[in-house]
Amino acid sequence: MGCAPSIHVSQSGVIYCRDSDESNSPHQTTTISQGTAATLHGLFIKTDAADSIPSVLAYQGRYPPAARSGSRKGRRDQGPHSCIEAETQTSHTSVKVSSTELWLGPMRLTQDPIQVLLVFAKEDSQSDGFWWACDRAGYRCNIARTPESAVECFLDKHHEIIVIDHRHSRYLDAEAVCRSIRATKPSEHTTILAVVPRVASDQEEMSVLPLLNVGFNRRFVENSSMIACYNELIQIEHGEVRSQFKLRSCNSIFTALDNCQEAIEITSEDHIIQYVNPAFERMMGYHKEELIGKELTELPKSDKNRADLLDTINTCIKKGKEWQGIYFARRKSGDSIQQHVKVTPVIGQGGKIRHFVSIKKLCNSNDNNKQIYKVNREDNALTESHSFRLKNRRKESVDVRSITSRSSDAPSLQNHRYSSMARIHTMTIEAPITKVINIINAAQENSPVTVAEALDRVLEILRTTELYSPQLGTKDEDPHTSDLVGGLMTDGLRRLSGNEYVFSKNVHHSHSHLSVPITINDVPPCIAELLEDEVSWDFNIFELEAVTIKRPLVYLGLKIFTCFGACEFLNCSEVTLRSWLQLVEANYHASNAYHNSTHAADVLHATAFFLQQENVKGSLDQLDKVAALIAATVHDVDHPGRTNSFLCNASSELAVLYNDTAVLESHHAALAFQLTAKDNKCNIFKNMDRTQYRTLRQAIIDMVLATEMTKHFEHVNKFVNSINKPIAAEDSNSNSEGSDFECSTNIRNSPENRILIKRMMIKCADVANPCRPLNLCIEWAGRISEEYFAQTDEEKRQGLPVVMPVFDRNTCSIPKSQISFIDYFITDMFDAWDAFAHLPNLILHLTDNYKYWKSLDELKCKSLRCSSE
């Protein structure tokens, strides 16, 4: 039986490897160069007691003979001062080391496997311990024997961790090696570990300060246990290495800031300037060296700001709130410039404000600045004067003497005030609600106490602002309902500063992927065949989406607009109509799961279907019908796939533009007319009479704004009270068919009620998904849920309030969300619409779909109960 080979090292550094056996047969000696021998370190099969193997010689003998002759992928012969690159055991097993995913705020980072450099002049159990620790952790490892090879290897690989032997100064000057590495630029983000000898129990522990001063980050007391080495490396990875990796990633952020067109300034919580970007230098005329480290109070101020403006800003941002407004700054040259400034506090350690980020844009030219400043000052003066007068009016008793002291016309002022109060009760321009309150007040005077008290409660209700929005009542216990109401019926008043949702300003003008027909007669046969069924409520819009390559709106629009004679009414050609439809569809976001041109086509189809119903058809004229078709087509154009609440919470440009009120709906309506007017080839309104155009435009805008959910119950209740109930009353009181029909027609055809009918029609078309056939209903439910999931994901990434927490893709129950949506928004609205338009097929679908979602939910609940038991 052959025994293990022996290895001898001569004084000249040549290594001899000798095979021997028990019979003392003649030795066969092989000479191995020092560089090649060094690569043998660590290239051996790990034993069960790897952490206790004393040296390379010990486990060299355990290496399988078959493997000894094999070559190594990482083996390199680079002479006496080489860095040895060798593969750890992980390289030869099925273990695959994957990259690590980290987050720096909202930024996703991917860290490659850690690289470790071991600097040991001699191989021993300690170097073996670190080698096997790297192997176990899946790190890439290099070994250096000399200071020169250590620096050379580090500059080549840029290791995250360097382990230097600091135990034997006669073999290796560890501090000199550390200083040499620290003198290089890449070492800024490297952690260097010093392996120091174990201190005897009777000796005093040495201070770590000298090591830190040299450039070491950590100290490791000699311990050859592989587990001890492994634990040390893992702690370094999860601590210093990951922190340094995140710091390195900040270079990309600073690169973005350096190339940003807006001027950016970052200060500490004490307003000491820490960073300015090149755009700031250009705007203010300073070099950053002149600014960094200075307090803001040291810089010259413009005298054009209000005296209390800085106090107002500081008060706001010290509370952790974002401030934005107009501010005059003084450049280095002494000129004053008007800026639009947004100052955002940044919360850091301990929940305290640690930085302030200021983003500055130039406003108008200097000439305009003076005028704007003048207007602002006048507005402020008026506001202060008005505020002062309001404060005085709020007092329960007015000090007449204080008023007379401010004016020589005191008697006339006093008489004027009293006469104004008296005229309030004799106003000729009186709001309907005022008439109602006056009638109730008059009725109270001659009523019994119980009736008077009941009328008091009525008056309290009438004086509230939300007359048409019901309270949740018992439904507020359902989180799905609460979240839907909160997400769809609020304007995101819960606001966090420091986040901005930037709306896409890329306006598309054309599609080039698929040829669009010149007229309806040029539609491809496969599409034309599908469009034959568009008169049916069960029309499958998703099949049209597929065959038109996600461009159903142009084709369906051409068919429906032609059927309703829209081109004749608008006095435009089919070519113009086609170009307009193409333009509108191009400005829907195909990347949205739900709010895309397929949704627009679906709403257009539903609107056209409703317009064909007898009661609806008899209530609206041609202008109303064309307005409804156009409103359905554009009602969600350029939708970002986020709700109004999200945009308001993110302080988006649109939310600021529209004062957090009906943000998206206002944008859809405005953009539709902007796009149409921009290109004469697409302008379907260009040949209309001015008066008729104004009427049409107003009708379109009114219907698009009606799709906003905050006024959902107002529109539904007005429809019920103004149309459903009067018609029902007439039906019950009528004695003859003729008079019944005539009265119902008068109710439907009044101008006010026609507006209510158009609003109700587009609202029902917009959310008709639960009333579609089951297969379509399920697809739409999945799409809207995916869009809400994406919003929740983004809200969490940006640190915004999560307006609909139940729409978390990991926990959401789609059946529950559909049940809540149908219960709270759909059932009552479609019952009211069906009572007017007579749509039994829709109500049948709604009932069946509701039962389907209920059964799914019950199955899931039963499954959860069984699993818990």
Side-chain angles (χ1 to χ4, degrees), residues 463-532:
R463 290 188 178 106
T464 63
T465 56
E466 297 297 331
L467 293 176
Y468 292 95
S469 296
Q471 296 177 343
L472 280 175
T474 58
K475 288 186 179 181
D476 60 358
E477 296 174 2
D478 177 13
H480 291 80
T481 302
S482 300
D483 284 2
L484 282 168
V485 174
L488 299 177
M489 298 191 63
T490 65
D491 285 323
L493 297 179
R494 296 170 291 169
R495 182 110 0 99
L496 290 185
S497 56
N499 299 282
E500 182 167 351
Y501 187 84
V502 180
F503 211 87
S504 172
K505 294 184 179 178
N506 297 325
V507 176
H508 303 280
H509 295 284
S510 65
H511 262 316
S512 59
H513 306 298
L514 182 68
S515 61
V516 178
I518 300 296
T519 67
I520 190 63
N521 297 323
D522 300 317
V523 171
C526 60
I527 299 176
E529 185 178 350
L530 269 178
L531 290 175
E532 288 178 3

Side-chain angles (χ1 to χ4, degrees), residues 448-707:
V449 175
T450 53
V451 175
E453 289 176 351
L455 291 174
D456 276 335
R457 290 196 294 272
V458 171
L459 288 172
E460 287 177 9
I461 295 170
L462 290 176
R463 290 188 178 106
T464 63
T465 56
E466 297 297 331
L467 293 176
Y468 292 95
S469 296
Q471 296 177 343
L472 280 175
T474 58
K475 288 186 179 181
D476 60 358
E477 296 174 2
D478 177 13
H480 291 80
T481 302
S482 300
D483 284 2
L484 282 168
V485 174
L488 299 177
M489 298 191 63
T490 65
D491 285 323
L493 297 179
R494 296 170 291 169
R495 182 110 0 99
L496 290 185
S497 56
N499 299 282
E500 182 167 351
Y501 187 84
V502 180
F503 211 87
S504 172
K505 294 184 179 178
N506 297 325
V507 176
H508 303 280
H509 295 284
S510 65
H511 262 316
S512 59
H513 306 298
L514 182 68
S515 61
V516 178
I518 300 296
T519 67
I520 190 63
N521 297 323
D522 300 317
V523 171
C526 60
I527 299 176
E529 185 178 350
L530 269 178
L531 290 175
E532 288 178 3
D533 296 331
E534 62 86 17
V535 294
S536 167
W537 178 252
D538 296 346
F539 176 69
N540 192 326
I541 194 68
F542 298 118
E543 290 182 0
L544 184 64
E545 176 191 62
V547 77
T548 60
I549 317 175
K550 294 189 175 181
R551 296 180 54 209
L553 187 57
V554 172
Y555 294 91
L556 185 64
L558 275 174
K559 175 74 180 294
I560 289 175
F561 275 72
T562 301
C563 290
F564 280 86
C567 288
E568 291 79 5
F569 176 81
L570 296 169
N571 193 21
C572 71
S573 66
E574 281 195 32
V575 174
T576 303
L577 175 63
R578 178 276 316 239
S579 298
W580 179 79
L581 287 168
Q582 187 178 5
L583 175 64
V584 171
E585 184 156 40
N587 281 277
Y588 275 91
H589 297 197
S591 58
N592 290 345
Y594 181 87
H595 287 101
N596 47 43
S597 68
T598 305
H599 168 65
D602 184 63
V603 175
L604 175 61
H605 173 263
T607 302
F609 181 84
F610 294 153
L611 286 172
Q612 297 285 15
Q613 308 310 305
E614 287 302 323
N615 271 5
V616 181
K617 188 190 302 185
S619 304
L620 305 178
D621 60 21
Q622 183 66 1
L623 186 146
D624 293 326
K625 295 172 184 175
V626 172
L629 297 178
I630 294 173
T633 304
V634 304
H635 82 283
D636 271 334
V637 67
D638 199 35
H639 197 295
R642 300 291 181 266
T643 63
N644 279 333
S645 296
F646 178 93
L647 297 182
C648 294
N649 284 329
S651 300
S652 73
E653 292 181 7
L654 283 180
V656 174
L657 177 64
Y658 293 111
N659 300 313
D660 292 351
T661 304
V663 176
L664 283 171
E665 294 72 22
S666 300
H667 175 64
H668 302 322
L671 182 64
F673 285 97
Q674 289 170 2
L675 292 171
T676 305
K678 189 171 291 186
D679 189 346
N680 204 45
K681 293 184 298 184
C682 306
N683 192 346
I684 57 176
F685 307 127
K686 61 185 175 183
N687 297 324
M688 290 190 70
D689 171 73
R690 181 183 296 274
T691 303
Q692 193 178 44
Y693 167 70
R694 295 294 302 174
T695 306
L696 180 71
R697 169 176 158 81
Q698 190 56 49
I700 294 168
I701 293 171
D702 184 80
M703 279 186 277
V704 172
L705 293 181
T707 61

Side-chain angles (χ1 to χ4, degrees), residues 178-179 182 190-192 210-218:
C178 182
R179 279 192 292 266
R182 284 296 181 207
T190 297
T191 301
I192 305 181
L211 294 175
L212 297 176
N213 291 335
V214 169
F216 289 101
N217 299 98
R218 293 171 69 99

Side-chain angles (χ1 to χ4, degrees), residues 292-559:
I292 293 177
K294 285 191 175 183
E295 288 191 33
L296 291 179
T297 53
E298 298 179 44
L299 300 180
K301 303 288 186 298
S302 173
D303 56 1
K304 292 188 176 183
N305 294 305
R306 293 199 323 266
D308 63 341
L309 181 58
L310 284 177
D311 291 335
T312 301
I313 296 172
N314 283 326
T315 301
C316 178
I317 62 178
K318 287 291 185 183
K319 293 178 181 177
K321 298 180 180 178
E322 182 182 272
W323 181 90
Q324 59 178 322
I326 303 300
Y327 181 81
F328 285 89
R330 176 167 290 178
R331 303 180 79 250
K332 185 179 180 181
S333 61
D335 301 332
S336 287
I337 55 173
Q338 190 184 37
Q339 302 169 326
H340 183 276
V341 179
K342 180 160 69 173
V343 185
T344 303
V346 180
I347 308 299
Q349 185 69 23
K352 297 180 180 179
I353 297 171
R354 300 297 180 181
H355 306 276
F356 295 104
V357 177
S358 301
I359 303 174
K360 307 183 179 185
K361 300 177 186 176
L362 281 176
C363 291
N364 301 330
S365 63
N366 286 335
D367 292 335
N368 290 335
N369 284 347
K370 295 177 182 178
Q371 186 63 29
I372 291 170
Y373 175 68
K374 181 180 177 182
V375 171
N376 285 341
R377 287 295 295 270
E378 289 173 354
D379 287 346
N380 290 334
L382 287 171
T383 303
E384 290 171 6
S385 175
H386 180 64
S387 175
F388 180 76
R389 291 199 302 271
L390 285 178
K391 288 177 182 176
N392 282 328
R393 288 178 183 175
R394 290 192 192 105
K395 294 180 180 178
E396 292 181 1
S397 59
V398 178
D399 187 351
V400 179
R401 287 172 296 179
S402 65
I403 298 176
T404 52
S405 65
R406 294 196 295 270
S407 172
S408 59
D409 296 329
S412 61
L413 281 174
Q414 188 175 357
N415 292 334
H416 177 74
R417 179 180 181 276
Y418 290 137
S419 62
S420 297
M421 293 297 293
R423 284 203 306 273
I424 288 177
H425 298 286
T426 59
M427 292 172 62
T428 55
I429 304 175
E430 195 174 27
I433 190 66
T434 309
K435 291 180 181 179
V436 172
I437 290 173
N438 288 341
I439 292 170
I440 294 174
N441 281 329
Q444 277 184 305
E445 295 178 2
N446 300 316
S447 299
V449 175
T450 53
V451 175
E453 289 176 351
L455 291 174
D456 276 335
R457 290 196 294 272
V458 171
L459 288 172
E460 287 177 9
I461 295 170
L462 290 176
R463 290 188 178 106
T464 63
T465 56
E466 297 297 331
L467 293 176
Y468 292 95
S469 296
Q471 296 177 343
L472 280 175
T474 58
K475 288 186 179 181
D476 60 358
E477 296 174 2
D478 177 13
H480 291 80
T481 302
S482 300
D483 284 2
L484 282 168
V485 174
L488 299 177
M489 298 191 63
T490 65
D491 285 323
L493 297 179
R494 296 170 291 169
R495 182 110 0 99
L496 290 185
S497 56
N499 299 282
E500 182 167 351
Y501 187 84
V502 180
F503 211 87
S504 172
K505 294 184 179 178
N506 297 325
V507 176
H508 303 280
H509 295 284
S510 65
H511 262 316
S512 59
H513 306 298
L514 182 68
S515 61
V516 178
I518 300 296
T519 67
I520 190 63
N521 297 323
D522 300 317
V523 171
C526 60
I527 299 176
E529 185 178 350
L530 269 178
L531 290 175
E532 288 178 3
D533 296 331
E534 62 86 17
V535 294
S536 167
W537 178 252
D538 296 346
F539 176 69
N540 192 326
I541 194 68
F542 298 118
E543 290 182 0
L544 184 64
E545 176 191 62
V547 77
T548 60
I549 317 175
K550 294 189 175 181
R551 296 180 54 209
L553 187 57
V554 172
Y555 294 91
L556 185 64
L558 275 174
K559 175 74 180 294

